[in-house]
Each structure stands twice: as structure tokens, then as C-alpha cells.
Amino acid sequence: MSKHRTILSLLGIAALACLALMQQDRIVTADDAPKVDKKAEKADEPTPEEKEQQILSEFMRRKLDASSQILEGLSVEDYELISDGAMKLYKMSTVEKWRRSNDPLYRQFSSEFQRVTQDLIRAANEGSLDKSALKWMDVTMKCIECHRYVRETLVTGAEGDANKS
Ligand code: HEC
């Protein structure tokens, strides 16, 4: 029992770390940064690009709902909640909108994410709390790693643009 409690507190920490990273600031990508500057004055009407960004943003944020569903499932030992949340994450990662970047590393992060979400689904279906907890940590690590990559690569691109002006 205390083993479970340790795992659950680790999970809490992992989830908080993930959330903290998300909150830091929304991930800015190469094509965002210049846009914001240009459109700042005539603010009211969102441009098509801004609308698109908003839709993408909402899509990406849905990962948080699925994640808290998984954390809830782990906390109350509800395997259906866990596998349902993991399935949502897996499915999201297979749709067009997910493919924010076409570079090989981004695709690799995506396929690793698909692998660990499937592992989590399997662990939940086996009814193993310990295994599900460990797999959830793997999933959380992938959230963090991919975001770090996106920040570092796509943000560097934006800086390159800024240097031109
Ligand atoms: C394979 C890469 C990848 C993985 C894995 C990934 N994300 Fe993301 N996420 C992105 C990208 C790319 C964006 C930014 C899109 C943009 O704004 O350009 C993003 C944005 C976000 C945002 C910010 C949305 C906003 O605009 O407010 C949240 C929150 C988020 N992700 C949560 C998660 C969570 C939780 C996980 C893990 C369960 C996760 N992500 C896993 C690529 C990933």
C-alpha cells in the first residue's frame, strides 16, 4: 500500500512538472512571433492565422484533459478512466493537426509518444496499477521532451527571423 502511495506522489510531481512547463509560456513557434508584432495594432478581428493558431492551441490543450483523466484513474484505481484517457492521447497523436512540424525528430517524438500511450493502455487493460503508474511517467516524460524540443528548435527559428530586421 505505501508503495502505491509513493508512486502516486511521484506521479503528482511528474504531473506538476509537466503543468509548470506548460504554464511557463505557451510554446512559441517560428511562424508565431513575427505575426504577433505585425497584427498588434488592428487587434479586434482575428486574422485567419490567429484563428488557426487558436484552433491548434485548443486542440493541444485537450491533452491536459486526457492527462488529468489518467491521473484521476490512477488515483482511484479506475482502469477504464486510465485506458480511456490514454486512448484519447494516442488518437490525438495520429491526426493531421498533431503534425505541427515535419522534421524527422518531431516525427520520432510523436512515434515514441504513440508507443508509450499504447503501453499505458495495455498496462491499464492488464489491471496493473504499478505498471500503469510507471507507464504514465513515461508518457509525461514524452510530453516534456517533445515540448523542450519544440521550444528549442522552433523558437530558434523565430530568433533567426528577428535578427533580420
Ligand atoms: C510530439 C510532440 C508533442 C508531445 C509528445 C506533446 N506535445 Fe503538447 N504540444 C506540442 C506542440 C508542437 C505544441 C505547440 C503548438 C503551437 O502552439 O505551435 C504543444 C502545445 C501544448 C500545450 C499548449 C497549448 C496552448 O497553446 O495553450 C499544452 C498544454 C500541451 N501541449 C500539453 C501536452 C501534454 C499534457 C502532453 C503529454 C500528455 C503533450 N502536450 C505532449 C507537441 C507535443
Side-chain angles (χ1 to χ4, degrees):
M1 212 51 216
S2 74
K3 194 170 144 210
H4 285 166
R5 219 169 292 147
T6 314
I7 289 174
L8 280 179
S9 30
L10 281 174
L11 287 171
I13 293 167
L16 282 176
C18 188
L19 282 177
L21 278 172
M22 309 287 83
Q23 299 307 331
Q24 242 182 4
D25 32 22
R26 201 176 47 72
I27 298 172
V28 179
T29 61
D31 20 5
D32 291 345
K35 239 178 273 159
V36 177
D37 288 339
K38 263 185 265 162
K39 311 292 179 193
E41 273 114 42
K42 40 174 185 171
D44 296 321
E45 277 283 293
T47 64
E49 292 93 338
E50 282 164 347
K51 267 187 209 147
E52 201 180 299
Q53 177 61 42
Q54 200 188 335
I55 290 167
L56 181 69
S57 183
E58 273 160 23
F59 169 78
M60 291 291 178
R61 293 193 74 83
R62 266 189 267 143
K63 288 178 282 185
L64 290 175
D65 298 333
S67 300
S68 67
Q69 189 180 344
I70 295 169
L71 188 56
E72 183 180 344
L74 288 164
S75 309
V76 300
E77 203 168 348
D78 180 334
Y79 295 105
E80 230 173 88
L81 266 184
I82 301 171
S83 69
D84 197 59
M87 181 58 86
K88 278 184 194 154
L89 287 177
Y90 171 78
K91 282 195 180 143
M92 284 183 75
S93 72
T94 63
V95 305
E96 176 72 31
K97 251 182 280 171
W98 180 277
R99 239 170 296 134
R100 188 66 181 80
S101 161
N102 226 343
D103 84 38
L105 263 170
Y106 186 82
R107 271 184 279 139
Q108 192 187 318
F109 280 122
S110 298
S111 67
E112 281 172 13
F113 186 74
Q114 289 169 1
R115 181 174 52 78
V116 293
T117 45
Q118 280 179 316
D119 286 349
L120 177 55
I121 295 168
R122 216 169 297 126
N125 290 343
E126 284 169 17
S128 163
L129 188 60
D130 289 341
K131 206 167 160 193
S132 301
L134 290 174
K135 296 301 174 188
W136 168 237
M137 305 253 263
D138 287 346
V139 172
T140 315
M141 284 312 294
K142 298 298 166 197
C143 309
I144 294 168
E145 283 169 11
C146 183
H147 288 165
R148 176 160 57 196
Y149 173 73
V150 169
R151 261 198 315 273
E152 281 171 3
T153 55
L154 301 183
V155 168
T156 307
E159 277 161 6
D161 274 0
N163 288 341
K164 268 186 236 156
S165 56

